[in-house]
Amino acid sequence: MTERELVEDILKRNRYLVLSTAQDSSPWVAPLEYMIDEDLNFYFLSTDDSLHVRHLESNEKVAVAVFEHEQAEYAADASFTLNGVQMEAIARRLTKVEYTPAVRAAIAALDPPMPPYSVFKIVPQRFYLPKIEHGVNKRSEVRVE
């Protein structure tokens, strides 16, 4: 499997991402359930009063990680690709007009009984695969255009 195929496979097989946001000197991370489209853009729902949403109001730059919860065990001489993807991305709130059919279907199926929420779209700018090479943590940028 090529690195590009591995990135796509990991992103399509999983349901949760870790979103990292920041405002001024206050960083935050949030685990979120996501949907993904054919262009590898992510969509998530979140309550409007959450900290990461407040951060996104002033800073759309985010970091994202998606990873398998089971990984190979570390060994000092090992070389393998970790089953995860790291991303630099832009996240923004969507208007209802911008909802994709899949987003509309998910909202209808969930019928979220929560306070006011919004749908966000994450557009990755760069993808990275973390690796272990001869016991050393590294990562490689993967182009998936």
Side-chain angles (χ1 to χ4, degrees), residues 26-97:
S26 298
W28 183 249
V29 295
L32 301 166
E33 188 170 11
Y34 70 85
M35 296 184 315
I36 192 165
D37 67 21
E38 63 279 350
D39 295 322
L40 303 183
N41 296 306
F42 296 79
Y43 300 87
F44 69 89
L45 282 72
S46 199
T47 57
D48 291 342
D49 64 350
S50 64
L51 184 57
H52 53 275
V53 168
R54 292 196 313 258
H55 281 185
L56 291 171
E57 290 170 356
S58 63
N59 182 4
E60 64 183 7
K61 293 180 180 179
V62 298
V64 177
V66 174
F67 57 94
E68 303 284 346
H69 69 281
E70 292 187 23
Q71 298 287 335
E73 190 169 331
Y74 175 83
D77 61 348
S79 292
F80 55 90
T81 299
L82 296 169
N83 291 323
V85 179
Q86 298 168 302
M87 291 159 265
E88 296 173 32
I90 302 295
R92 68 177 183 81
R93 185 186 318 254
L94 296 180
T95 65
K96 289 184 180 185
V97 173

Side-chain angles (χ1 to χ4, degrees), residues 113-143:
M114 60 173 111
Y117 65 91
S118 295
V119 176
F120 286 80
K121 180 178 184 178
I122 299 172
V123 180
Q125 307 297 298
R126 290 189 172 85
F127 292 93
Y128 301 95
L129 278 176
K131 303 175 176 192
I132 304 292
E133 291 182 3
H134 306 294
V136 177
N137 286 316
K138 297 190 173 194
R139 70 176 188 177
S140 63
E141 185 172 353
V142 179
R143 301 190 69 77

